């Protein structure tokens, strides 16, 4: 029992860690495209870890499935949103930042 | 592989309806929890399934059930790697990025498999789908051009082809821009 | 266990506040929109944690609704605010 | 115990203030969306999940969509269908 709680705590804290990293990435990364990377990957992993952490303490099967449903929906949502924003930026002609040209921050 | 969706016969329509009805009933069961009110949920799910068949014609591509666990495992492991990769880059003081946009011709048939590929690689390490050209060339933004991006996209493609049970169309090797 | 959940919720809120900086600074409006999407995901996580902390099962439904509707803002943004080129220029959109 | 609520209240005030003082309309709209989201969390802390549901749906979702839509109409010059303004505000 104590083992499960320990694992749960570990997963929750790791999830929050990835949320923090995602936000930090949004702040530090140089252009829209790289920020989309930070957003979709780090945040979805963070949410996933939190979901799995809560899953260990779920009281019934529908509750556990609902948690997974929320995660799946969030995954699809943020992958779609990231793609749409990147495509809009590309269409608008936002040039991707490269390690060589610093002027286009 | 013909482009237009033609002449969906009646039996596949009924089959799609039943499949979607089952999925919607499961979702209703999840949403309503322990005290499911089936007298409300069943008609609702039936109406929703009818509407979905009417609005979205039956899919030409179906997931192969025995491949789902394998793909899920691949996906979970890769998204773990992706999060770790982003975390490593964000936290290192020098911010090691070398972004580049690659143009990769698609080998999967258009429709659901291509969409799945675009959504999946956005969640995999270092790749983000940006735009799909009409001539079926996908623009992929990668965080670090030093990694083997083409290889990992190709692997995802092969796994998706196995998941959907579709053949990969032969393409020339990924052209780098 | 509760103190842990509370700490997690507090840290998620701190993450939200850090995201405000990106919304304020921009520089393009796409960056602001992205930060708003980030808030959606973080909000979903926060609501799920609070559902466990306060033992309110209905909060998971709130999280579900939030996950659905947070994308709608991005959709409206892409379709209405930040588009270029003539109307009817629609390519394949992933199924949402 | 009250740290979470104190911080939440503080953040609510900050986002409300920022939405008010923002000169750029888009910034204000986004701040309003964030405010709605935090308001939903505040309702949760006040043990009112039903209002939180309504706030999440209306405040963070629908109002944001409507405001963004309106902004799209406002930004477009009269008589033209193409929006070519400089987007670096």
């Amino acid at each position: 029992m104590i083992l499960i709680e320990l694992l749960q705590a570990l997963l929750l804290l790791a999830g929050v860690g990835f949320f923090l990293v995602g936000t930090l990435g949004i702040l530090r990364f140089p252009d829209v495209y790289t920020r989309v990377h930070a957003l979709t990957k780090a945040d979805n992993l963070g949410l996933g870890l939190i979901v799995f952490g809560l899953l260990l303490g779920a009281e019934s099967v529908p509750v556990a499935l609902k948690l997974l449903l929320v995660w799946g929906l969030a995954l699809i949502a943020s992958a779609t949103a990231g793609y749409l924003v990147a495509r809009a930026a590309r269409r608008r002609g936002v040039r991707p930042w490269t390690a060589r040209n610093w002027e286009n921050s | 592989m013909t482009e237009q969706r033609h002449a969906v016969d009646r039996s596949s329509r009924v089959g799609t309806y039943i499949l979607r009805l089952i999925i919607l009933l499961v979702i209703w069961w999840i949403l309503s929890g322990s005290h499911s009110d089936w007298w409300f949920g069943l008609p609702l799910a039936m109406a929703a399934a009818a509407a979905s068949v009417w609005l979205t014609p039956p899919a030409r591509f179906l997931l192969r059930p025995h491949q789902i666990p394998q793909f899920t495992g691949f996906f979970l492991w890769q998204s773990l790697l992706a999060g770790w990769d982003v975390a490593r880059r964000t936290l290192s003081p020098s911010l090691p990025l070398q972004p580049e946009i690659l143009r990769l011709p698609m080998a999967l048939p258009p429709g659901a498999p291509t969409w799945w590929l675009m959504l999946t690689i956005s969640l995999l390490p270092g790749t983000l789908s940006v735009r799909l050209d009409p001539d079926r060339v996908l623009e992929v933004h990668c965080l670090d051009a030093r990694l083997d991006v083409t290889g990992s996209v190709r692997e995802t493609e092969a796994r998706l082809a196995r998941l959907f049970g579709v053949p990969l169309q032969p393409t020339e090797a990924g052209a780098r821009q | 266990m509760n103190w842990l959940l509370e700490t997690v919720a507090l840290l998620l809120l701190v993450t939200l506040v850090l995201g405000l900086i990106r919304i304020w600074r921009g520089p393009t409006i796409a960056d602001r929109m992205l930060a708003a999407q980030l808030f959606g995901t973080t909000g979903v996580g926060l609501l799920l944690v609070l559902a466990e902390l306060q033992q309110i099962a209905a909060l998971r439904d709130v999280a579900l609704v939030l996950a659905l509707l947070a994308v709608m803002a991005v959709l409206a943004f892409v379709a209405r605010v930040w588009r270029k080129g003539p109307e009817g220029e629609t390519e394949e959109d992933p199924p949402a | 115990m009250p740290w979470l609520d104190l911080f939440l209240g503080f953040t609510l005030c900050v986002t409300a203030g920022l939405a008010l003082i923002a000169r750029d309309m888009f910034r204000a709209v986004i701040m309003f969306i964030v405010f709605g989201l935090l308001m939903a969390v505040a309702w949760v802390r006040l043990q009112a999940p039903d209002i939180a549901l309504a706030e999440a749906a209306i405040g963070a979702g629908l109002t944001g969509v409507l405001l963004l839509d309106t902004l799209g109409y406002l930004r477009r010059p009269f008589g033209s269908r193409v929006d070519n303004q400089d987007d670096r505000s």
Side-chain angles (χ1 to χ4, degrees), chain B residues 67-82:
Chain B
Q67 292 280 351
I68 291 177
Q70 211 179 349
F71 186 77
T72 313
F74 168 76
F75 179 78
L76 289 180
W77 176 243
Q78 289 290 319
S79 49
L80 202 64
L81 288 182

Side-chain angles (χ1 to χ4, degrees), chain A residues 23 26-27 35 43 66 84, chain C residues 15 22 31 38 61 71 75:
Chain A
T23 310
I26 289 245
L27 292 179
R35 283 178 203 140
D43 277 17
K66 193 185 278 185
L84 286 176
Chain C
T15 321
R22 180 48 73 198
D31 295 306
L38 161 83
D61 299 317
V71 209
L75 284 181

Side-chain angles (χ1 to χ4, degrees), chain C residues 51-72:
Chain C
E52 189 70 22
L53 176 64
Q54 298 179 221
Q55 293 295 321
I56 307 176
L59 290 188
R60 300 198 184 94
D61 299 317
V62 182
L64 200 66
V65 168
L66 190 63
L68 263 178
L69 288 180
V71 209
M72 293 299 161

Side-chain angles (χ1 to χ4, degrees), chain A residues 5 14 16 22 33 41 45 48 59 61 63 76 79 86 95 100 104:
Chain A
E5 286 201 354
V16 171
Y33 304 103
K41 293 173 182 73
L45 182 57
E59 59 260 42
V61 179
V63 168
I76 297 175
R95 278 193 301 156
R100 287 176 293 278
N104 186 23

Side-chain angles (χ1 to χ4, degrees), chain B residues 15 28 34 39 41 61 63 78 91 101-102 106 117-118 142 158 162 175:
Chain B
W28 172 260
S34 46
W39 61 269
F61 302 103
L63 301 180
Q78 289 290 319
L91 295 178
I101 288 192
L102 301 179
M106 291 285 88
L117 179 73
M118 290 166 70
C142 54
R162 250 179 286 153

Side-chain angles (χ1 to χ4, degrees), chain A residues 5 8-9 12-13 16 19-20 23 26-27 29 32 35-36 39 43-44 47 50-51 54 57 59 63 66-67 69-70 73 76-78 80-81 83-85 87-89 91-92 94, chain C residues 1 4-5 8 11-12 15 18-19 21-22 26-28 30-31 34 37-38 41-42 44-45 48-49 52 60-61 64 67-68 71 74-75 78 82-84 89 91-95:
Chain A
E5 286 201 354
Q8 208 176 357
L12 285 175
L13 287 176
V16 171
F19 267 114
L20 275 174
T23 310
I26 289 245
L27 292 179
F29 279 5
V32 183
R35 283 178 203 140
V36 176
L39 179 82
D43 277 17
N44 283 325
L47 188 60
I50 285 182
V51 159
L54 295 174
E59 59 260 42
V63 168
K66 193 185 278 185
L67 284 171
L69 189 67
V70 171
L73 205 61
I76 297 175
S78 81
T80 312
Y83 160 67
L84 286 176
V85 169
R87 189 183 67 168
R91 278 207 193 148
R92 275 303 270 251
V94 175
Chain C
M1 206 57 212
L4 177 73
L5 287 173
V8 166
L11 284 174
L12 284 177
T15 321
L18 287 177
I21 302 175
R22 180 48 73 198
T28 66
D31 295 306
L34 263 188
Q37 171 65 28
L38 161 83
T41 316
T42 317
V44 169
L48 289 179
V49 170
E52 189 70 22
R60 300 198 184 94
D61 299 317
L64 200 66
L68 263 178
V71 209
V74 180
L75 284 181
V78 170
W82 220 45
R83 69 170 164 204
K84 186 183 187 180
E89 185 193 347
E91 294 167 17
E92 297 177 84
D93 285 330

